[in-house]
Amino acid sequence: MHGDMAMLLLADSRLPAGGHAHSGGAEEAVRVGAITGPEDLARFLRGRLATAGVVTAALAAAACEVGSDPKPGRWQRLDAEADARISSPAQREASRTQGRLLVRTTRRIWPSESLETLAQAVPDGAHHPVALGAAAAAAGCEPRQAALAAAYTSVTAPATAAVRLLGLDPVLVHRLLADLAPALNDAAHEACVIQADDWSDLPAHAAPALDLLAEQHLRTEVRLFVS
């Protein structure tokens, strides 16, 4: 139960780690007309979960495993695996920004060796899913709980952003998230089949549309969200 509670805290959008400032590509998708209403948003969320969501879930699960035996070299190797799976420079920058803020926050909430060694091993800021997995380990979560939290936040950020950007009915948007429950569980299950330290088989699902949206968003003058 301790791990369940920690997972809820990590996945809570009210965690003061800056997650509310990122839309996961939704802001740019709204701007170019790819998301205009609930049906478009539902497709966007499913696509994001099946690509970036699965990748982040697997990285978070692997990081949670590393957190049980944290060594600088292991953190650096895993962070490099994360970097190789993010094609867009804009997304890499956003991921490291979120990871840096998450480590800073969770070091105060759950002081631990895993977070300290991660901060020292990747001083410029670990990628967000790596930071999330390290925080999950520090909080007493299991890898599957870390994966589920990562998969969940991969869709809740754009869903919340769409409510703000389009004035959508928040109850209807939460219904869309509820419909994703089976897919979220599947993503978390898929994320945990990787053997410890055998990261060559980590998912590397590409999402070119998300990459293009991220690069366009970076060049947009008026923005509500950082990414």
Side-chain angles (χ1 to χ4, degrees), residues 34-212:
I35 298 178
T36 60
E39 292 184 359
D40 293 334
L41 178 60
R43 287 191 290 270
F44 182 90
L45 296 179
R46 286 195 174 277
R48 197 173 198 286
L49 177 59
T51 54
V54 170
V55 172
T56 58
L59 288 165
C64 190
E65 288 276 9
V66 173
S68 64
D69 182 23
K71 292 183 174 62
R74 298 181 77 202
W75 284 132
Q76 291 162 355
R77 284 177 51 218
L78 182 58
D79 190 71
E81 293 285 349
D83 201 65
R85 285 163 171 77
I86 305 175
S87 300
S88 158
Q91 290 206 68
R92 285 200 293 270
E93 181 179 351
S95 178
R96 289 201 183 280
T97 298
Q98 291 184 79
R100 185 166 54 249
L101 291 173
L102 182 61
V103 169
R104 182 185 303 170
T105 298
T106 54
R107 285 171 78 183
R108 294 177 60 188
I109 301 172
W110 296 289
S112 68
E113 182 185 1
S114 62
L115 290 170
E116 291 302 321
T117 55
L118 175 59
Q120 294 168 13
V122 193
D124 292 335
H127 280 294
H128 182 256
V130 177
L132 180 57
C141 294
E142 298 177 356
R144 186 183 182 282
Q145 293 169 320
L148 189 57
Y152 176 75
T153 55
S154 76
V155 292
T156 52
T160 301
V163 170
R164 296 172 62 184
L165 293 163
L166 293 171
L168 300 179
D169 178 355
V171 176
L172 178 57
V173 171
H174 267 68
R175 169 62 189 271
L176 299 181
L177 292 173
D179 289 343
L180 285 174
L184 286 165
N185 281 320
D186 289 345
H189 176 75
E190 180 181 346
C192 294
V193 299
I194 307 302
Q195 297 296 318
D197 285 6
D198 183 15
W199 296 324
S200 60
D201 289 334
L202 282 168
H205 306 319
L210 289 177
D211 295 336
L212 292 172

Side-chain angles (χ1 to χ4, degrees), residues 12-24 94 97-105 128 157 164 224-227:
D12 193 333
S13 62
R14 291 165 293 189
L15 180 71
H20 64 281
H22 297 266
S23 77
T97 298
Q98 291 184 79
R100 185 166 54 249
L101 291 173
L102 182 61
V103 169
R104 182 185 303 170
T105 298
H128 182 256
R164 296 172 62 184
L224 181 61
F225 295 91
V226 177
S227 69

